[in-house]
Amino acid sequence: MGLKNKDGESVFRDLALFQDYHGMPAFKNELVEYMAKIRGNKVKFDPNNLVLAAGATSANETLIFCLADPGDAILLPTPSYAGDLKWRTGVEIVPIHCSSSNGFRISMFALEEAYERAQKLNLKVKGVLITNPSNPLGTTMTKDELQSLITFAIDKDIHLISDEVFSGTVFDSPCFISIMEAAMDGNLKRNTDVLSRIHIVYSLSKDLGLPGFRVGMIYSNNQTVVSAATKMSSFGLVSSQTQYLLSYMLANKKFTSNYMKRNQKRLKKRKEMLVSGLKKSGISCLKSNAGLFCWVDMRHLLCSNTFEAETDLWKKILCEVGLNISPGSSFHCSQPGWFRVCFANMNQSTLQVALRRIKDFVERSSFNYQQNMGSLSRKLISNWVRKLSSADREEQER
């Protein structure tokens, strides 16, 4: 077989017959080094605090099982993509409503409001789950914002989960700041259990383009969580063959460094192409610096300010334009008319075709709107003239 160790001996038998659910030490060592590299080596990770899982969704679900009981609540900023974390865990997801008025940033007011809403529903809040960089916004959180969240978690005696699966896709300033880096602040470190409240979810699906490999992980300094999550990981292991292959790939530092730089450069170029093309059609995007998508404002194309109108617009774009973009309602956005548009899942020529189709659709919609308004105006004027004529006849008859 082709799988051999450094001494040229076949490792196929070992990989095929046995798997340690703690994970291969060689793979975990390479993984924590890669995670530190993405974060500018400002944070060091201990491989003993790493738990492998079959993708980030599995990792998030495992963490929820470890931190909360059925009927407890997890606060989640919206718009957000977090999969269906309620189905098997039995937790209640309480949205932290973020608004376009401040670029969908998490405000302390919205955070407190969500916490109080959960309490009024007699729900015990066990934690806050954030995605940084954000999916679907494509934005990164500032150090101040992260530290405010940490302080909130300390004050409320709850946990903080940071899903950082898009951390390697940051292609523009400001740079990515991990929740672990924000927690290293001197004032926060004085709280002895601050790190035991913070948990990171990560995967190789987005940063290395390997979603089919199903490689996710949990990082936590809380040994109780690590122990429980390790036991639960037996329900969703990463295969020995995958770990063996990726340990060699991650060990090639020159490759991973070049890949990251080239990938970020390409993402920036493709994002700028999308934003520029949409702007020509009169469509704007939320300013972003990360991710594989843009958060696009199509509120002016709605026939009414409702989610029903958003769904109608999505169906038109899907059926008439032939493009599948994700409506904001699928990310629990509180305002209709926002859509997530992916730009990294197609080549440049395909993106150009998509932009032309959108431009044609907007022009047709504008023409139809003007025609309808013109027809409506003529009808209103006709009715007005008819009423005046009727009033004149009645006056003459008197």
Side-chain angles (χ1 to χ4, degrees), residues 111 179 200 254 304 393:
L111 201 56
I179 191 70
I200 292 177
K254 184 178 179 180
S304 64
R393 283 196 300 271

Side-chain angles (χ1 to χ4, degrees), residues 116-130:
E116 291 173 7
R117 190 164 9 103
Q119 287 192 314
K120 288 178 181 177
L121 294 171
N122 293 319
L123 298 174
K124 186 175 183 179
V125 178
K126 286 296 186 71
V128 179
L129 170 59
I130 61 170

Side-chain angles (χ1 to χ4, degrees), residues 8 25 47 67 78 91 100-101 112 120 141 157 176 186-187 199 215-216 246 260 277 291 296 339 365 370 394:
L67 300 177
T78 61
V91 299
S100 61
S101 60
E112 289 286 356
K120 288 178 181 177
M141 296 184 69
D157 192 24
F176 173 71
N187 294 325
H199 319 279
V215 180
L246 292 178
M260 284 170 56
V296 180
F339 291 79
S365 299
Q370 289 174 3
E394 289 177 3

Side-chain angles (χ1 to χ4, degrees), residues 269-270 273 343 346-355:
K269 183 178 179 181
R270 194 63 56 82
M273 181 180 171
F343 55 77
M346 64 187 82
N347 58 35
Q348 186 169 312
S349 60
T350 303
L351 181 56
Q352 289 173 338
V353 171
L355 289 170

Side-chain angles (χ1 to χ4, degrees), residues 211-228:
F213 278 43
R214 306 310 304 155
V215 180
M217 62 222 67
I218 297 165
Y219 187 87
S220 176
N221 287 292
N222 187 318
Q223 292 309 306
T224 303
V225 171
V226 171
S227 176

Side-chain angles (χ1 to χ4, degrees), residues 168-233:
T169 68
V170 179
F171 50 76
D172 211 342
S173 60
C175 63
F176 173 71
I177 299 174
S178 172
I179 191 70
M180 206 62 75
E181 180 184 345
M184 302 309 289
D185 180 83
N187 294 325
L188 291 173
K189 283 182 71 176
R190 292 194 187 101
N191 189 303
T192 54
D193 70 339
V194 61
L195 291 180
S196 68
R197 299 178 182 278
I198 296 172
H199 319 279
I200 292 177
V201 169
Y202 183 62
S203 86
L204 300 180
S205 297
K206 308 302 188 292
D207 290 352
L208 286 178
L210 299 172
F213 278 43
R214 306 310 304 155
V215 180
M217 62 222 67
I218 297 165
Y219 187 87
S220 176
N221 287 292
N222 187 318
Q223 292 309 306
T224 303
V225 171
V226 171
S227 176
T230 300
K231 291 180 176 69
M232 290 192 66
S233 69

Side-chain angles (χ1 to χ4, degrees), residues 139-373:
T139 55
T140 51
M141 296 184 69
T142 66
K143 192 172 185 179
D144 286 344
E145 288 172 330
L146 292 169
Q147 289 178 342
S148 293
L149 278 171
I150 296 171
T151 301
F152 178 83
I154 294 170
D155 292 343
K156 305 297 185 185
D157 192 24
I158 60 177
H159 292 265
L160 181 55
I161 303 171
S162 181
D163 186 331
E164 301 182 354
V165 296
F166 289 98
S167 53
T169 68
V170 179
F171 50 76
D172 211 342
S173 60
C175 63
F176 173 71
I177 299 174
S178 172
I179 191 70
M180 206 62 75
E181 180 184 345
M184 302 309 289
D185 180 83
N187 294 325
L188 291 173
K189 283 182 71 176
R190 292 194 187 101
N191 189 303
T192 54
D193 70 339
V194 61
L195 291 180
S196 68
R197 299 178 182 278
I198 296 172
H199 319 279
I200 292 177
V201 169
Y202 183 62
S203 86
L204 300 180
S205 297
K206 308 302 188 292
D207 290 352
L208 286 178
L210 299 172
F213 278 43
R214 306 310 304 155
V215 180
M217 62 222 67
I218 297 165
Y219 187 87
S220 176
N221 287 292
N222 187 318
Q223 292 309 306
T224 303
V225 171
V226 171
S227 176
T230 300
K231 291 180 176 69
M232 290 192 66
S233 69
S234 61
F235 296 103
L237 295 172
V238 180
S239 74
S240 296
Q241 293 89 336
T242 298
Q243 292 184 55
Y244 184 82
L245 171 65
L246 292 178
S247 64
Y248 273 86
M249 189 181 82
L250 292 174
N252 188 337
K253 310 301 182 189
K254 184 178 179 180
F255 165 76
T256 54
S257 180
N258 288 339
Y259 180 92
M260 284 170 56
K261 290 176 182 176
R262 184 172 295 186
N263 188 44
Q264 290 163 3
K265 186 177 180 180
R266 287 178 174 177
L267 287 174
K268 182 178 181 180
K269 183 178 179 181
R270 194 63 56 82
K271 178 252 184 178
E272 289 173 346
M273 181 180 171
L274 174 64
V275 172
S276 174
L278 290 175
K279 188 177 181 180
K280 292 175 182 176
S281 300
I283 299 172
S284 61
C285 303
L286 183 73
K287 186 177 180 181
S288 60
N289 64 318
L292 316 175
F293 35 73
C294 281
W295 191 234
V296 180
D297 185 0
M298 294 188 178
R299 287 176 292 178
H300 62 292
L301 296 177
L302 299 180
C303 59
S304 64
N305 187 33
T306 63
F307 285 106
E308 288 77 12
E310 179 184 272
T311 300
D312 289 342
L313 178 59
W314 169 70
K315 288 179 179 178
K316 284 183 180 179
I317 293 174
L318 179 65
C319 299
E320 296 178 19
V321 185
L323 298 176
N324 189 10
I325 61 178
S326 304
S329 55
S330 64
F331 301 97
H332 313 287
C333 184
S334 58
Q335 297 174 291
W338 291 86
F339 291 79
R340 189 190 71 171
V341 178
C342 296
F343 55 77
N345 59 342
M346 64 187 82
N347 58 35
Q348 186 169 312
S349 60
T350 303
L351 181 56
Q352 289 173 338
V353 171
L355 289 170
R356 281 200 301 271
R357 289 184 182 182
I358 290 176
K359 189 173 187 295
D360 291 342
F361 172 75
V362 172
E363 289 175 352
R364 285 199 309 272
S365 299
S366 177
F367 177 75
N368 291 338
Y369 174 78
Q370 289 174 3
Q371 272 199 325
N372 290 336
M373 288 303 294

